[in-house]
Each structure stands twice: as structure tokens, then as C-alpha cells.
Amino acid sequence: MIDPVKFWSKLAPKYAKTPIKNQAAYQAKLDITQSFFTPQTRLLEVGCGTGTTALYHAPHVAAVLATDISPAMLDIARDKQSATGIDNVRFEELNLDVDPIAETDFDVAMAHSILHLVHDLPGALGKLHDALNTGGILVTSTVCIGDWNPLFRPLIGIMKLIGKAPHVSLLTEKSLTAEITNAGFEIIPQDRVAGGDAVFIVARKI
Ligand SMILES: C[S@@+](CC[C@H](N)C(=O)[O-])C[C@H]1O[C@@H](n2cnc3c(N)ncnc32)[C@H](O)[C@@H]1O
């Protein structure tokens, strides 16, 4: 099995240079997320990659803790932060499958393009639930490969075998929604984000 730290760290420089596929869909998700912010908001992100989303939101909240498994992703994120002068974001290493989220009292948590990558989804959602205040918001944009044409599955299997793909779960929108609900969240219905190729879900901790 591929070591996820090595896999994502090797990819980090290329990932940083890859433009966002659908800027309109990305912006719509940013806007929906910001509708839950106040100036006092404490924001958590898991699987933050090179920090683009955390740094975008930072001026609109009190503080951001942005975490990722890959030191190389986090180094790029910190370089971007230095270039902007934003001082209310901390980038820290955290493997969502292994490490606890040591801090609590967050108002909003983001998990974008990460929930399909973890081995223990109920465990990961439990950690996010524990880190949030009651009434806190979970926002996730997640690729649901289980809803894709099944012909893709052998291809994914081959890519994993040759080290070109990490572990991915075949989540469907239905199974992801059920996992989030089972973890103690209620779904806040959203209009479908046009053109997005991931499922966008907003949920409140109950
Ligand atoms: C597809 S990228 C998404 C990055 C960013 N959230 C975005 O939307 O552009 C997946 C990110 O999750 C991180 N990652 C993968 N497995 C992880 C894990 N078990 N715990 C924490 N981060 C993980 C990778 O290092 C990578 O930065």
C-alpha cells in the first residue's frame, strides 16, 4: 500500500501549480461557507493541501487551524502565507486517520477532497464532530467515486497497484450523507453547486 505522506508530498509541487478546475463552482462553495462565518469564528480545516482555501477565508474569521498529513503541502501553504502577511492561520501536520484533533471549540470545520481518502470515515467524522461546538458547521466537498460509472473501478485499482493513486473509498452521495448523519450531524440542504464534480455537503453538529 502506498504511504500517503510520501504520495501527497511527492505530488505537492505539481498540486500547487494545478489551476482550480471549475472556478465558478469553487467560488460558490467559498461563498456558502462564508455565509456561516462571523468575525469571531474559529475555523478548522483537515486535508488543507497547499492552503489556498484556508488563506482565502482567513481575513473573514478570528483564527484558522489548517492541517494536512503532508509536510510538503504544508511548507507550500506556509510560503503562500508569508507572501500574504496573513497572521491568523496556523498550518499543522495531522493525519486524520491516526492523530487526534487536539483542539476543540471550532465553529466551522472544512474537509475538502479528503473524506474519500481516509481509511476510517466514521472515526474521521467523529473527530470533526468532537472538535466542533454544538451547532458548529461541517462543510465538505467530496468526490463520490461510487456514483461514477463502474468501468472506472478497474482503472483506479490499476493506478493504486502502480503507485499512481492513493487509497480511495468508493463513497456514494447517499453513503457519505448517511455517514455524516450517523456521526451526529444534521444536513443543511443546499442548492446543487452547478458544474462541481464533487458532492458539496453542509451539516450542523447536533
Ligand atoms: C486532493 S488533496 C485536497 C487538498 C485541498 N483540501 C483542496 O481541496 O485542494 C487531498 C489532501 O489531503 C491530504 N491527505 C490525504 N490523506 C490524509 C489524511 N489521512 N489525513 C490528513 N490529510 C490527508 C493530502 O496531503 C492532500 O493535501
Side-chain angles (χ1 to χ4, degrees):
M1 193 188 302
I2 301 173
D3 174 348
V5 177
K6 281 192 190 143
F7 178 86
W8 289 104
S9 289
K10 192 171 167 203
L11 198 67
K14 192 174 164 206
Y15 196 85
K17 287 188 198 129
T18 308
I20 287 161
K21 233 200 247 160
N22 185 325
Q23 188 61 44
Y26 179 62
Q27 189 62 50
K29 293 172 195 178
L30 292 173
D31 292 345
I32 293 170
T33 305
Q34 291 202 344
S35 72
F36 293 97
F37 292 169
T38 71
Q40 288 75 42
T41 292
R42 292 188 71 234
L43 176 63
L44 168 69
E45 182 169 17
V46 290
C48 69
T50 60
T52 307
T53 304
L55 292 169
Y56 180 88
H57 287 316
H60 304 277
V61 297
V64 186
L65 173 62
T67 65
D68 199 278
I69 196 173
S70 157
M73 291 278 188
L74 293 168
D75 282 346
I76 295 170
R78 291 188 192 104
D79 285 349
K80 284 190 200 170
Q81 180 179 21
S82 303
T84 61
I86 289 170
D87 64 0
N88 63 341
V89 183
R90 277 179 299 136
F91 288 105
E92 290 184 4
E93 224 173 293
L94 185 142
N95 179 344
L96 192 54
D97 264 323
V98 173
D99 303 319
I101 300 176
E103 293 178 35
T104 54
D105 204 21
F106 291 98
D107 305 293
V108 180
M110 301 188 297
H112 297 315
S113 299
I114 164 87
L115 294 182
H116 64 304
L117 299 174
V118 294
H119 291 264
D120 176 11
L121 182 57
L125 289 169
K127 290 176 192 181
L128 290 164
H129 189 270
D130 289 348
L132 281 165
N133 292 320
T134 301
I137 300 294
L138 170 68
V139 184
T140 180
S141 184
T142 303
V143 177
C144 287
I145 299 168
D147 287 328
W148 294 6
N149 187 323
L151 291 175
F152 277 109
R153 289 180 195 175
L155 185 66
I156 293 166
I158 291 166
M159 285 178 70
K160 273 192 197 168
L161 268 179
I162 60 171
K164 296 286 180 198
H167 163 79
V168 284
S169 292
L170 299 180
L171 292 173
T172 61
E173 181 168 357
K174 197 172 164 195
S175 68
L176 176 61
T177 304
E179 292 280 10
I180 291 174
T181 307
N182 289 342
F185 292 94
E186 64 183 5
I187 305 295
I188 304 176
Q190 303 296 316
D191 289 340
R192 202 159 268 278
V193 175
D197 60 1
V199 172
F200 186 63
I201 296 176
V202 181
R204 182 182 286 111
K205 171 173 172 172
I206 47 179

